[in-house]
Amino acid sequence: MTLPTQATVKELDPVFAEMAAASFQLAGEGEELTPRERILLSLVADVCEQILGMPYELHVRAALDNGLDADDLRELLRFISYDSGYPAALAALERLAEIERKHGLPGPTGQGHPVNADGTGSPIPAPTRAEVRALDPGFADYMDLQSRMRADMSRISLRERTFATMTVDVLYQTLQESFRVHIGRALRAGATPYEVRAAVRATATFGMTRTWRALNVLDGLLADQEELQGKQTAGSA
């Protein structure tokens, strides 16, 4: 494999390479997230920021080194396209195919999932659907379509998908409605508050100040979740 390595970065500027290596090492510490999860979130950040040069190639290399394949990477891009925006995901998909051709990497096998674009309904929780429909019925139809088309994805786990959507929120600073929904989904998927916090903190290498703001918002959301659980426990006692 001839994809770039950290040595490539060092050739550009050894001081920058040292700073970057120390930053990524610290950001990657802790057992809350797996190496696979961390690299998936880096790829999500690349799409959102349209960082499709050397950093994207480094992350593709790391993904392959962590057992992900071309089909997995394409499912990730399909999944996040509704939050990152289809044009951003398409640019990343085009670049991924170019990287595979350039370096002789295995391409996709064509495995996908049922899209169900002509179906009805949505796996989004009923209260959220009702809230969005009251806001704008046409937008609600669009949101239902997006969630329905992704319902049968299986190569990227539910936990990984929730962390991916949270990463989009942090990088786009959409820290109101969608961030609340995505945090709740991560917790319902079995992630602990510490793991959710680690997923937000993992965005720091892509822009520290945005992560800072997101952690402040996260504190309030986790406090709300804890209060709600306390009330539910007291009500069932």
Side-chain angles (χ1 to χ4, degrees), residues 24-41:
F24 279 96
Q25 179 179 349
L26 181 59
E29 289 181 352
E31 299 179 353
E32 299 95 342
L33 304 179
T34 66
R36 172 184 159 109
E37 288 169 343
R38 292 185 186 279
I39 192 57
L40 284 171
L41 299 189

Side-chain angles (χ1 to χ4, degrees), residues 69-91:
D69 61 26
D71 292 309
D72 297 329
L73 296 180
R74 278 161 177 77
E75 179 161 293
L76 176 69
L77 296 178
R78 295 183 202 118
F79 174 71
I80 66 169
S81 60
Y82 76 119
D83 273 342
S84 70
Y86 277 90
L90 178 59

Side-chain angles (χ1 to χ4, degrees), residues 80-150:
I80 66 169
S81 60
Y82 76 119
D83 273 342
S84 70
Y86 277 90
L90 178 59
L93 178 60
E94 179 184 38
R95 178 66 176 131
L96 174 61
E98 180 183 296
I99 291 169
E100 290 167 344
R101 290 192 300 269
K102 176 182 176 182
H103 299 290
L105 302 174
T109 65
Q111 296 183 33
H113 70 283
V115 172
N116 192 25
D118 297 326
T120 59
S122 165
I124 296 175
T128 301
R129 291 184 70 203
E131 179 183 331
V132 174
R133 188 154 295 278
L135 177 67
D136 187 276
F139 180 68
D141 289 342
Y142 182 81
M143 183 177 287
D144 282 350
L145 172 66
Q146 298 310 307
S147 61
R148 187 170 64 246
M149 289 195 297
R150 289 157 174 78

